[in-house]
Amino acid sequence: MMNQITLQVNGETRSCLSQTPLPELLQQLGFNPRLVAVEYNGEILHRQFWSETQIKEGDRLEVVTIVGGG
């Protein structure tokens, strides 16, 4: 059974369903997963692990948008 959980995203309290995969959460929050870097509970989370990372109660995410320029 899926329950609502709370987590911190960029310092703000957010909620989602438990066991939401990270890429799905990023899309729900309006981020383009191809254009962000993610710090998960204080550690940079490499993209290869995103699909197997399921969000849990109390997780802390920092999502940084990658901006190209020149």
Side-chain angles (χ1 to χ4, degrees):
M1 181 170 139
M2 297 285 202
N3 296 328
Q4 283 286 120
I5 60 169
T6 57
L7 64 149
Q8 293 285 313
V9 179
N10 293 348
E12 295 181 22
T13 301
R14 300 292 189 107
S15 62
C16 71
L17 291 176
S18 65
Q19 301 179 7
T20 298
L22 178 58
E24 185 177 319
L25 176 67
L26 291 173
Q27 288 184 320
Q28 288 174 12
L29 295 173
F31 293 106
N32 181 336
R34 291 185 302 236
L35 300 177
V36 297
V38 176
E39 182 182 282
Y40 179 71
N41 294 330
E43 301 282 334
I44 297 295
L45 187 63
H46 294 281
R47 195 173 300 270
Q48 69 193 46
F49 301 115
W50 286 13
S51 61
E52 63 194 51
T53 301
Q54 294 184 338
I55 305 305
K56 299 179 295 303
E57 177 72 36
D59 279 349
R60 294 180 333 276
L61 298 176
E62 290 293 326
V63 182
V64 179
T65 303
I66 299 166
V67 178

